[in-house]
Amino acid sequence: MGAALPNEATDLIDGLYAGDELTRKELVRLLKLRSKETMAYAAQKADEVRRRIYGTDVYVRGLIEFSSYCKNDCYYCGIRKSNNNADRYRLSKEEILSCCENGYELGYRTFVLQGGEDPYYTDDKICDIVSDIHKLYPDCAITLSIGEKSYESYKRYYDAGARRFLLRHETADNEHYAKLHPESMSPDNRKRCLFDLKEIGYQVGSGFMVGSPYQTSDNLVSDLRFLQELKPDMIGIGPYINHKDTPFAGEKNGTLELTLRLVAVLRLMFPYALIPATTALGTISPNGRELGLKCGANVVMPNLSPVETRKKYDLYENKICTGEEAAECRNCLERRVEFAGYRIVTDIGDVKKHA
Ligand code: 5AD
Ligand code: FES
């Protein structure tokens, strides 16, 4: 790298690359080093790690957003229950199965069922949907992303055939958590859920928003530390993006730069993790997902939801991929991934583990 790269940055990045445990202060410092050269060096090292473990493989997960109803009221989220402007929908089991059929034909071997916390889908209903998908597509992984539940509920979904679960912790700092969520939501319960899911045997994904209101660099380091404790298989991050019908209307969006820096840091700290180049990253910048891949991300999640409902799963403004058919999304992403220098693989894409 050029002479402009401060030694401090190289030392910190080389430290992470070597598997050193950086102190809280060092991590805060690293997140604050904003030069282009530092970013380029972090991306280069992260890409090296990713290629060592996953080569150029990028896994695809077909995302089915099956309900935009939510009983929660997170201040940042467009489908929060108090948003009376939200256009709500639910997919029937038949509609969900038809998304899977479409996805299977497009080569997807993982289906991610994501929705708001919608009590309409009782445990019986979820188990019925999961077990039908499992019977019809025994060679596919079923991922759930349906929020906070009891140990018993999680266990029932697992027994029905679900093997992966995505639940972002959103922020690991309790004070910050209280600024993003109403009092009825507890960070301890969310963390309890994540550890329950692990105990049951799920491959667990967690993660956080970058640049959410009131977030500090110290909060972000707490997120990294929490992830070190949890040891998730998947880590999803994306920039916070404003939504006008929330209490945070008018707040600033998270930035592309900080999100990419964190993707690179995550790859260096968690060499084996499955890290998606998220839709939010693609929303704040036209080539955000490609840049995410170059900073160590190795998963993409094209949308399989029916086109009629896509716009209604309106977590934040200007969300991409809301007008495209599943096949268009698939092709678009394939081109983007190849352009970035990687290759989509259509196998089940389990996490690779240390020997
Ligand atoms: N901006 C960015 N990401 C958001 N999410 C929810 N609302 C927003 C927003 N306004 C993310 C949360 C959630 C995931 C499904 O979407 O992190 O876990
Ligand atoms: Fe959905 Fe490009 S990935 S349209």
Side-chain angles (χ1 to χ4, degrees):
M1 290 281 104
L5 187 64
N7 291 337
E8 187 194 3
T10 6
D11 286 352
L12 292 171
I13 294 163
D14 288 346
L16 278 186
Y17 180 81
D20 292 351
E21 180 87 357
L22 299 194
T23 64
R24 182 169 272 274
K25 254 195 176 153
E26 285 170 330
L27 283 171
V28 167
R29 187 70 196 125
L30 181 56
L31 294 179
K32 286 186 172 165
L33 290 171
R34 287 158 178 239
S35 75
K36 265 202 193 131
E37 292 76 12
T38 303
M39 188 60 233
Y41 189 65
Q44 180 202 323
K45 287 308 215 185
D47 192 51
E48 233 175 278
V49 171
R50 164 271 168 48
R51 283 176 194 259
R52 191 169 73 227
I53 293 162
Y54 287 100
T56 56
D57 289 358
V58 172
Y59 300 116
V60 271
R61 319 298 196 195
L63 181 64
I64 304 170
E65 298 157 334
F66 69 93
S67 172
S68 70
Y69 285 84
C70 191
K71 69 178 167 62
N72 292 334
D73 226 1
C74 308
Y75 302 146
Y76 46 84
C77 184
I79 64 166
R80 63 197 302 269
K81 83 167 171 218
S82 299
N83 179 9
N84 296 323
N85 291 333
D87 212 345
R88 310 280 177 178
Y89 72 92
R90 294 187 172 108
L91 299 188
S92 65
K93 181 170 85 173
E94 290 64 37
E95 287 171 314
I96 296 173
L97 290 176
S98 118
C99 292
C100 295
E101 190 184 348
N102 192 356
Y104 195 87
E105 278 167 22
L106 292 170
Y108 299 141
R109 294 298 175 265
T110 295
F111 301 119
V112 182
L113 301 189
Q114 184 174 92
E117 290 197 21
D118 180 358
Y120 167 85
Y121 295 90
T122 57
D123 288 353
D124 283 347
K125 285 205 179 81
I126 295 287
C127 288
D128 181 46
I129 294 167
V130 168
S131 68
D132 274 13
I133 299 176
H134 188 54
K135 265 183 243 138
L136 285 164
Y137 306 100
D139 54 336
C140 292
I142 303 168
T143 306
L144 291 176
S145 179
I146 56 175
E148 298 177 28
K149 307 279 176 178
S150 67
Y151 183 98
E152 291 68 33
S153 297
Y154 288 146
K155 179 80 172 73
R156 286 192 58 195
Y157 314 148
Y158 188 89
D159 292 339
R163 284 295 175 271
R164 301 179 185 155
F165 204 103
L166 306 181
L167 181 73
R168 291 187 179 176
H169 65 277
E170 310 296 0
T171 174
D173 181 276
N174 287 353
E175 277 174 32
H176 185 221
Y177 193 94
K179 292 181 179 159
L180 301 183
H181 303 93
E183 240 173 86
S184 55
M185 293 180 71
S186 118
D188 291 342
N189 190 53
R190 205 159 178 90
K191 290 177 184 163
R192 187 271 305 157
C193 289
L194 287 163
F195 287 102
D196 280 358
L197 288 161
K198 278 203 81 164
E199 195 181 303
I200 293 167
Y202 283 96
Q203 291 180 35
V204 172
S206 197
F208 53 91
M209 286 176 293
V210 178
S212 58
Y214 310 108
Q215 184 180 64
T216 64
S217 301
D218 201 59
N219 293 156
L220 286 169
V221 174
S222 299
D223 290 321
L224 299 175
R225 289 274 185 258
F226 172 71
L227 292 170
Q228 282 180 317
E229 195 191 325
L230 178 68
K231 300 186 181 59
D233 300 290
M234 301 164 278
I235 305 174
I237 67 168
Y240 161 75
I241 302 174
N242 188 65
H243 191 298
K244 65 178 177 15
D245 297 322
T246 66
F248 287 159
E251 291 281 346
K252 272 204 250 105
N253 290 345
T255 64
L256 174 72
E257 290 70 27
L258 185 56
T259 310
L260 292 174
R261 209 168 326 142
L262 276 153
V263 170
V265 166
L266 285 171
R267 173 56 67 205
L268 290 165
M269 289 177 80
F270 302 92
Y272 288 85
L274 293 162
I275 302 176
T278 54
T279 306
L281 199 49
T283 298
I284 44 158
S285 169
N287 60 348
R289 287 171 299 178
E290 290 87 325
L291 294 169
L293 293 170
K294 291 185 177 191
C295 288
N298 62 339
V299 173
V300 290
M301 299 173 70
N303 201 319
L304 264 184
S305 313
V307 177
E308 310 83 73
T309 59
R310 283 192 194 194
K311 278 202 172 48
K312 303 181 186 173
Y313 199 76
D314 184 28
L315 305 181
Y316 45 79
E317 283 168 8
N318 305 316
K319 192 165 162 255
I320 52 168
C321 303
T322 54
E324 282 76 11
E325 293 287 346
E328 290 177 79
C329 241
R330 171 72 172 81
N331 292 336
C332 165
L333 263 175
E334 178 143 1
R335 279 197 308 275
R336 287 168 181 274
V337 167
E338 274 173 19
F339 187 72
Y342 305 92
R343 188 178 60 106
I344 282 195
V345 293
T346 53
D347 70 39
I348 195 163
D350 279 321
V351 70
K352 295 194 183 179
K353 282 288 182 191
H354 301 254

